Amino acid sequence: MDSNTLTIVVPCFNEEEVLPETNKELGQILTKLIQEKKISAQSKILYVNDGSKDRTWEIISDYCEKYDYVTGIKFSRNYGHQNALIAGMTTANDYSDMIITIDADLQDDVNAIPEMVANYLDGFDVVYGVRNSRKTDTAFKRKTALTYYKLMGKIGVNLVPDSADYRLLSKRATSTLLQYKERNLFLRGMVPLVGYRSTKVYYARKERFAGKSKYPLKKMLNFAFDGITSFSVAPIHMIMNLGIMVVIVCLAMMIYTLVRKMMGDVITGWSSIMISIWLIGGVQLISISVIGEYVGKIFSEVKQRPRYVIEEDKFTDKTQNNE
């Protein structure tokens, strides 16, 4: 393997509409970097087909035959975006000096890749792609994103604000990241744990080139909650504090009731009783749900099932044939 070999890992789920443009833009960037001798001629684009139901794998397979720098792996079914990223990094790490992960929708500016490579050549192991603004987001999404980053910071999770899964990792940074074996993946929180020398590259995020977003509101909320419960037990502490508050309120109400009774002011309190029952019941249900979330994660971890199953691996076949 030549030095400075780059692999660009691109997770794909039903991306037939955008793949032609994605391959064109990434191919131009890769070719230019090779011509400028910034990266090895053995550098590749690795598409990870995450159980797509459309022609995504057919297109990837066609590109693998047509372009020397295009490779791909195919999952046996849909395993999720984070697992697709891990699979791509695992597959490419032995053959790569650096790995860049980027989504296929072209919202992340591919023109930031040369600057990422330049930072790697300057000695950085981790280069985060960071949005320079959120103008393309709705006011609701901007506000919730800011609130989420603040919340994660307060519970001790070190995230890079306005950075998603567009980043460069050196070989040793990737190898270290792959030592984290949890099934409940939240790479935005895991990568900062790796350490090593890091920097940021700023870019303007675009509108999606084509197709539909794979992260609607419900999925984004689930992903955000996974990030919290995968890295912190703060929600359990919050439940304990809430329970203490409820007990204090109940004690205060009990004292108030006894005082009223001693004063002879006894009124049948159907409403207050019902409100109390509903309040305590609601607190209990929320508490059980949060604790159940942690138990569910433990259940997933202890089974030690594989994160993904690769049905076809064109990357390894092509790389070995080129050696």
Side-chain angles (χ1 to χ4, degrees):
M1 181 184 73
D2 295 340
S3 60
N4 297 332
T5 301
L6 167 67
T7 300
I8 302 175
V9 174
V10 187
C12 302
F13 178 65
N14 296 338
E15 300 289 3
E16 65 175 1
E17 295 180 61
V18 75
L19 262 182
E21 185 64 22
T22 301
N23 194 68
K24 175 185 173 183
E25 294 194 17
L26 289 177
Q28 289 174 346
I29 294 291
L30 200 69
T31 301
K32 183 180 179 182
L33 288 171
I34 292 173
Q35 291 173 347
E36 293 174 351
K37 301 188 183 304
K38 299 287 181 64
I39 61 175
S40 164
Q42 295 180 350
S43 297
K44 298 281 190 291
I45 300 171
L46 170 57
Y47 293 108
V48 183
N49 181 40
D50 183 23
S52 299
K53 301 300 183 183
D54 59 5
R55 296 181 57 253
T56 295
W57 181 244
E58 183 180 334
I59 294 171
I60 293 171
S61 298
D62 181 57
Y63 289 162
C64 288
E65 297 294 329
K66 192 174 181 181
Y67 304 102
D68 289 337
Y69 56 79
V70 174
T71 61
I73 57 176
K74 178 186 179 184
F75 282 174
S76 60
R77 62 173 177 82
N78 178 254
Y79 284 91
H81 179 265
Q82 300 292 283
N83 283 316
L85 290 173
I86 282 290
M89 288 188 283
T90 302
T91 302
N93 192 42
D94 288 342
Y95 303 94
S96 311
D97 295 295
M98 53 185 137
I99 291 175
I100 290 177
T101 56
I102 184 173
D103 290 342
D105 57 17
L106 294 177
Q107 286 189 279
D108 297 320
D109 188 2
V110 300
N111 293 305
I113 290 176
E115 189 176 350
M116 288 182 171
V117 172
N119 279 290
Y120 165 80
L121 296 175
D122 286 339
F124 290 96
D125 286 283
V126 182
V127 184
Y128 297 101
V130 179
R131 300 169 62 170
N132 57 16
S133 73
R134 284 188 167 268
K135 293 180 180 179
T136 57
D137 288 346
T138 62
F140 172 77
K141 192 171 183 178
R142 286 196 297 270
K143 183 67 176 177
T144 52
L146 179 62
T147 302
Y148 182 68
Y149 283 121
K150 288 182 178 179
L151 173 62
M152 294 294 278
K154 287 183 178 180
I155 64 176
V157 183
N158 182 26
L159 295 181
V160 178
D162 297 324
S163 173
D165 291 306
Y166 185 25
R167 65 178 75 88
L168 178 147
L169 296 176
S170 68
K171 187 179 187 69
R172 70 169 180 170
T174 304
S175 298
T176 303
L177 177 65
L178 294 177
Q179 292 177 28
Y180 292 78
K181 299 300 183 182
E182 59 256 46
R183 267 63 182 165
N184 299 290
L185 295 172
F186 186 67
L187 292 174
R188 300 179 195 187
M190 293 170 65
V191 173
L193 296 176
V194 169
Y196 299 128
R197 195 177 176 208
S198 66
T199 189
K200 302 172 184 175
V201 168
Y202 293 91
Y203 67 95
R205 190 168 171 85
K206 308 174 187 177
E207 297 288 346
R208 184 180 176 87
F209 180 80
K212 297 180 180 179
S213 172
K214 305 307 183 295
Y215 271 91
L217 179 60
K218 182 180 178 181
K219 197 170 183 179
M220 283 296 295
L221 291 174
N222 289 335
F223 184 61
F225 190 64
D226 279 343
I228 295 172
T229 54
S230 294
F231 279 83
S232 175
V233 293
I236 293 180
H237 293 160
M238 290 171 62
I239 288 174
M240 183 179 67
N241 293 333
L242 181 60
I244 292 171
M245 288 176 60
V246 170
V247 169
I248 291 172
V249 171
C250 288
L251 287 173
M253 290 297 294
M254 184 178 67
I255 294 170
Y256 173 75
T257 302
L258 289 173
V259 170
R260 293 289 295 268
K261 184 175 182 179
M262 286 187 292
M263 295 174 62
D265 186 9
V266 181
I267 301 173
T268 303
W270 184 87
S271 298
S272 61
I273 291 174
M274 292 304 298
I275 290 171
S276 299
I277 291 173
W278 280 101
L279 174 63
I280 296 173
V283 170
Q284 288 176 334
L285 287 174
I286 293 171
S287 302
I288 292 171
S289 297
V290 174
I291 295 171
E293 182 72 21
Y294 283 96
V295 173
K297 288 184 180 296
I298 295 170
F299 180 66
S300 298
E301 295 289 343
V302 298
K303 286 187 293 187
Q304 292 290 301
R305 289 179 179 174
R307 289 169 170 167
Y308 52 83
V309 175
I310 296 177
E311 184 175 331
E312 291 186 50
D313 181 359
K314 295 182 180 294
F315 178 89
T316 304
D317 293 342
K318 180 174 280 192
T319 304
Q320 290 177 345
N321 290 336
N322 289 340
E323 291 180 346

